PDB file of all heavy atoms in Angstrom:
ATOM      1  N   ASP A 146      68.032  -3.875  54.694  1.00 98.00           N
ATOM      2  CA  ASP A 146      67.110  -3.171  53.871  1.00 98.00           C
ATOM      3  C   ASP A 146      67.983  -2.275  52.879  1.00 98.00           C
ATOM      4  O   ASP A 146      68.700  -1.410  53.351  1.00 98.00           O
ATOM      5  CB  ASP A 146      66.204  -2.268  54.607  1.00 98.00           C
ATOM      6  CG  ASP A 146      65.151  -1.536  53.811  1.00 98.00           C
ATOM      7  OD1 ASP A 146      65.388  -1.443  52.558  1.00 98.00           O
ATOM      8  OD2 ASP A 146      64.187  -0.997  54.457  1.00 98.00           O
ATOM      9  N   VAL A 147      67.904  -2.618  51.626  1.00 98.00           N
ATOM     10  CA  VAL A 147      68.713  -1.828  50.615  1.00 98.00           C
ATOM     11  C   VAL A 147      67.811  -1.062  49.631  1.00 98.00           C
ATOM     12  O   VAL A 147      68.243  -0.762  48.531  1.00 98.00           O
ATOM     13  CB  VAL A 147      69.720  -2.691  49.832  1.00 98.00           C
ATOM     14  CG1 VAL A 147      70.867  -3.203  50.805  1.00 98.00           C
ATOM     15  CG2 VAL A 147      69.054  -3.893  49.172  1.00 98.00           C
ATOM     16  N   SER A 148      66.532  -0.842  50.062  1.00 98.00           N
ATOM     17  CA  SER A 148      65.726  -0.021  49.202  1.00 98.00           C
ATOM     18  C   SER A 148      66.301   1.360  49.019  1.00 98.00           C
ATOM     19  O   SER A 148      66.062   1.915  47.874  1.00 98.00           O
ATOM     20  CB  SER A 148      64.332   0.100  49.803  1.00 98.00           C
ATOM     21  OG  SER A 148      64.402   0.593  51.184  1.00 98.00           O
ATOM     22  N   ASP A 149      67.024   1.931  49.978  1.00 98.00           N
ATOM     23  CA  ASP A 149      67.824   3.225  49.684  1.00 98.00           C
ATOM     24  C   ASP A 149      69.265   2.786  49.560  1.00 98.00           C
ATOM     25  O   ASP A 149      69.900   2.491  50.576  1.00 98.00           O
ATOM     26  CB  ASP A 149      67.581   4.193  50.845  1.00 98.00           C
ATOM     27  CG  ASP A 149      68.389   5.407  50.748  1.00 98.00           C
ATOM     28  OD1 ASP A 149      69.116   5.574  49.695  1.00 98.00           O
ATOM     29  OD2 ASP A 149      68.375   6.289  51.678  1.00 98.00           O
ATOM     30  N   LYS A 150      69.780   2.666  48.341  1.00 98.00           N
ATOM     31  CA  LYS A 150      71.059   2.191  48.111  1.00 98.00           C
ATOM     32  C   LYS A 150      72.162   3.071  48.738  1.00 98.00           C
ATOM     33  O   LYS A 150      73.233   2.579  49.009  1.00 98.00           O
ATOM     34  CB  LYS A 150      71.371   2.047  46.552  1.00 98.00           C
ATOM     35  CG  LYS A 150      70.350   1.222  45.852  1.00 98.00           C
ATOM     36  CD  LYS A 150      70.385  -0.168  46.290  1.00 98.00           C
ATOM     37  CE  LYS A 150      69.438  -1.188  45.466  1.00 98.00           C
ATOM     38  NZ  LYS A 150      68.082  -0.955  45.732  1.00 98.00           N
ATOM     39  N   THR A 151      71.824   4.343  49.048  1.00 98.00           N
ATOM     40  CA  THR A 151      72.790   5.192  49.625  1.00 98.00           C
ATOM     41  C   THR A 151      72.869   5.037  51.134  1.00 98.00           C
ATOM     42  O   THR A 151      73.813   5.507  51.780  1.00 98.00           O
ATOM     43  CB  THR A 151      72.444   6.693  49.395  1.00 98.00           C
ATOM     44  OG1 THR A 151      71.250   7.009  50.151  1.00 98.00           O
ATOM     45  CG2 THR A 151      72.199   6.936  47.902  1.00 98.00           C
ATOM     46  N   ASN A 152      71.954   4.310  51.715  1.00 98.00           N
ATOM     47  CA  ASN A 152      71.934   4.046  53.269  1.00 98.00           C
ATOM     48  C   ASN A 152      71.356   2.655  53.553  1.00 98.00           C
ATOM     49  O   ASN A 152      70.249   2.546  54.011  1.00 98.00           O
ATOM     50  CB  ASN A 152      71.060   5.189  53.805  1.00 98.00           C
ATOM     51  CG  ASN A 152      71.109   5.062  55.339  1.00 98.00           C
ATOM     52  OD1 ASN A 152      72.041   4.694  55.845  1.00 98.00           O
ATOM     53  ND2 ASN A 152      69.935   5.409  55.947  1.00 98.00           N
ATOM     54  N   PRO A 153      72.123   1.611  53.297  1.00 98.00           N
ATOM     55  CA  PRO A 153      71.650   0.312  53.663  1.00 98.00           C
ATOM     56  C   PRO A 153      71.479   0.163  55.265  1.00 98.00           C
ATOM     57  O   PRO A 153      72.312   0.647  55.935  1.00 98.00           O
ATOM     58  CB  PRO A 153      72.836  -0.707  53.278  1.00 98.00           C
ATOM     59  CG  PRO A 153      73.609   0.168  52.254  1.00 98.00           C
ATOM     60  CD  PRO A 153      73.430   1.535  52.579  1.00 98.00           C
ATOM     61  N   ILE A 154      70.482  -0.435  55.643  1.00 98.00           N
ATOM     62  CA  ILE A 154      70.101  -0.506  57.059  1.00 98.00           C
ATOM     63  C   ILE A 154      69.937  -1.961  57.462  1.00 98.00           C
ATOM     64  O   ILE A 154      69.360  -2.762  56.781  1.00 98.00           O
ATOM     65  CB  ILE A 154      68.720   0.178  57.351  1.00 98.00           C
ATOM     66  CG1 ILE A 154      68.849   1.694  57.017  1.00 98.00           C
ATOM     67  CG2 ILE A 154      68.302  -0.031  58.821  1.00 98.00           C
ATOM     68  CD1 ILE A 154      67.508   2.483  57.084  1.00 98.00           C
ATOM     69  N   THR A 155      70.583  -2.326  58.595  1.00 98.00           N
ATOM     70  CA  THR A 155      70.513  -3.674  59.091  1.00 98.00           C
ATOM     71  C   THR A 155      69.162  -3.887  59.788  1.00 98.00           C
ATOM     72  O   THR A 155      68.781  -3.265  60.669  1.00 98.00           O
ATOM     73  CB  THR A 155      71.636  -3.942  60.084  1.00 98.00           C
ATOM     74  OG1 THR A 155      72.937  -3.701  59.603  1.00 98.00           O
ATOM     75  CG2 THR A 155      71.558  -5.427  60.635  1.00 98.00           C
ATOM     76  N   ILE A 156      68.366  -4.836  59.139  1.00 97.00           N
ATOM     77  CA  ILE A 156      67.100  -5.146  59.821  1.00 97.00           C
ATOM     78  C   ILE A 156      67.278  -6.134  60.876  1.00 97.00           C
ATOM     79  O   ILE A 156      66.738  -6.052  62.002  1.00 97.00           O
ATOM     80  CB  ILE A 156      66.132  -5.763  58.698  1.00 97.00           C
ATOM     81  CG1 ILE A 156      65.921  -4.778  57.583  1.00 97.00           C
ATOM     82  CG2 ILE A 156      64.773  -6.084  59.375  1.00 97.00           C
ATOM     83  CD1 ILE A 156      65.131  -5.377  56.367  1.00 97.00           C
ATOM     84  N   HIS A 157      68.083  -7.213  60.628  1.00 97.00           N
ATOM     85  CA  HIS A 157      68.199  -8.296  61.648  1.00 97.00           C
ATOM     86  C   HIS A 157      69.475  -9.073  61.381  1.00 97.00           C
ATOM     87  O   HIS A 157      69.962  -9.192  60.184  1.00 97.00           O
ATOM     88  CB  HIS A 157      66.923  -9.207  61.590  1.00 97.00           C
ATOM     89  CG  HIS A 157      66.886 -10.124  62.696  1.00 97.00           C
ATOM     90  ND1 HIS A 157      66.583  -9.752  63.971  1.00 97.00           N
ATOM     91  CD2 HIS A 157      67.156 -11.459  62.763  1.00 97.00           C
ATOM     92  CE1 HIS A 157      66.602 -10.813  64.816  1.00 97.00           C
ATOM     93  NE2 HIS A 157      66.969 -11.831  64.093  1.00 97.00           N
ATOM     94  N   SER A 158      69.985  -9.606  62.344  1.00 97.00           N
ATOM     95  CA  SER A 158      71.043 -10.708  62.143  1.00 97.00           C
ATOM     96  C   SER A 158      70.718 -11.803  63.107  1.00 97.00           C
ATOM     97  O   SER A 158      70.167 -11.614  64.176  1.00 97.00           O
ATOM     98  CB  SER A 158      72.486 -10.039  62.561  1.00 97.00           C
ATOM     99  OG  SER A 158      72.538  -9.708  63.871  1.00 97.00           O
ATOM    100  N   HIS A 159      71.154 -13.003  62.708  1.00 97.00           N
ATOM    101  CA  HIS A 159      70.789 -14.197  63.497  1.00 97.00           C
ATOM    102  C   HIS A 159      72.074 -15.068  63.567  1.00 97.00           C
ATOM    103  O   HIS A 159      72.679 -15.438  62.569  1.00 97.00           O
ATOM    104  CB  HIS A 159      69.711 -14.965  62.714  1.00 97.00           C
ATOM    105  CG  HIS A 159      69.240 -16.178  63.567  1.00 97.00           C
ATOM    106  ND1 HIS A 159      68.495 -16.061  64.699  1.00 97.00           N
ATOM    107  CD2 HIS A 159      69.532 -17.564  63.457  1.00 97.00           C
ATOM    108  CE1 HIS A 159      68.211 -17.360  65.164  1.00 97.00           C
ATOM    109  NE2 HIS A 159      68.854 -18.177  64.415  1.00 97.00           N
ATOM    110  N   ASN A 160      72.335 -15.499  64.734  1.00 96.00           N
ATOM    111  CA  ASN A 160      73.465 -16.427  64.981  1.00 96.00           C
ATOM    112  C   ASN A 160      73.071 -17.855  64.643  1.00 96.00           C
ATOM    113  O   ASN A 160      72.231 -18.376  65.351  1.00 96.00           O
ATOM    114  CB  ASN A 160      73.984 -16.280  66.446  1.00 96.00           C
ATOM    115  CG  ASN A 160      75.337 -16.852  66.598  1.00 96.00           C
ATOM    116  OD1 ASN A 160      75.693 -17.852  65.930  1.00 96.00           O
ATOM    117  ND2 ASN A 160      76.183 -16.404  67.550  1.00 96.00           N
ATOM    118  N   SER A 161      73.740 -18.413  63.671  1.00 93.00           N
ATOM    119  CA  SER A 161      73.335 -19.837  63.275  1.00 93.00           C
ATOM    120  C   SER A 161      73.770 -20.904  64.251  1.00 93.00           C
ATOM    121  O   SER A 161      73.290 -21.990  64.199  1.00 93.00           O
ATOM    122  CB  SER A 161      73.859 -20.074  61.863  1.00 93.00           C
ATOM    123  OG  SER A 161      75.292 -20.313  62.016  1.00 93.00           O
TER     124      SER A 161
END
Side-chain angles (χ1 to χ4, degrees):
D146 181 344
V147 291
S148 50
D149 178 1
K150 303 296 185 288
T151 68
N152 184 34
I154 297 171
T155 305
I156 303 175
H157 192 74
S158 67
H159 183 78
N160 193 331
S161 71

